[in-house]
Amino acid sequence: SRMGGSVIVMEPEDYQEWLTTGNTGGETPEQAGERLFTALGCVACHGANAVQRAPKLDGVFGSEVKLSTGETVTADEQYLRESILHSQAKLVAGYEAIMPIYDNQIGEEDLLNLLAYIKSLAATEGAAAQ
């Protein structure tokens, strides 16, 4: 059986505009990401008021993260992307490998929205903590 689909080609400026406004019914990427963060259950382990089963994400973007291997990595976009899609790849020191793997479970738009939300936590909560 064949699967149908469509590809939309945009000029770079139009693509940036789409990334900023999206087609999410007026939601910003951060708002859509926050909604997904709750809908997917991420908030239960990573949320500000969650039981400490997973690292807190407030201020994580751009910070140094110590892994179970002893190495330290920067929580940049590539690291966060890998941590969502392949959660077992780089475990944060002190935490178990209990997070689901979201590769093939969420689409690129959802992933971009989640990343926007996590980055926004760094900008707001992280700044307030200092």
Side-chain angles (χ1 to χ4, degrees):
S1 70
R2 296 181 56 187
M3 291 179 64
S6 62
V7 174
I8 299 171
V9 180
M10 298 180 180
E11 292 297 324
E13 311 80 56
D14 295 336
Y15 178 62
Q16 286 307 315
E17 168 75 13
W18 178 82
L19 282 178
T20 305
T21 59
N23 53 0
T24 54
E27 281 182 313
T28 65
E30 293 81 7
Q31 289 168 331
E34 183 174 15
R35 182 174 47 76
L36 275 168
F37 192 77
T38 300
L40 293 171
C42 313
V43 69
C45 295
H46 290 288
N49 300 316
V51 178
Q52 281 282 262
R53 287 189 296 252
K56 296 275 187 253
L57 299 181
D58 293 352
V60 73
F61 182 70
S63 71
E64 296 295 306
V65 177
K66 188 171 175 71
L67 303 179
S68 57
T69 59
E71 70 178 308
T72 300
V73 297
T74 301
D76 58 10
E77 188 165 323
Q78 182 179 348
Y79 167 81
L80 294 175
R81 175 181 281 271
E82 179 183 51
S83 295
I84 294 168
L85 297 179
H86 305 283
S87 57
Q88 318 299 318
K90 292 188 175 90
L91 294 175
V92 173
Y95 295 98
E96 294 179 49
I98 59 172
M99 182 172 155
I101 294 169
Y102 286 99
D103 191 29
N104 297 322
Q105 303 300 312
I106 60 173
E108 181 67 12
E109 185 177 351
D110 286 345
L111 182 59
L112 290 172
N113 289 335
L114 283 169
L115 290 170
Y117 173 63
I118 293 168
K119 288 178 186 179
S120 77
L121 294 175
T124 55
E125 304 300 324
Q130 290 175 2

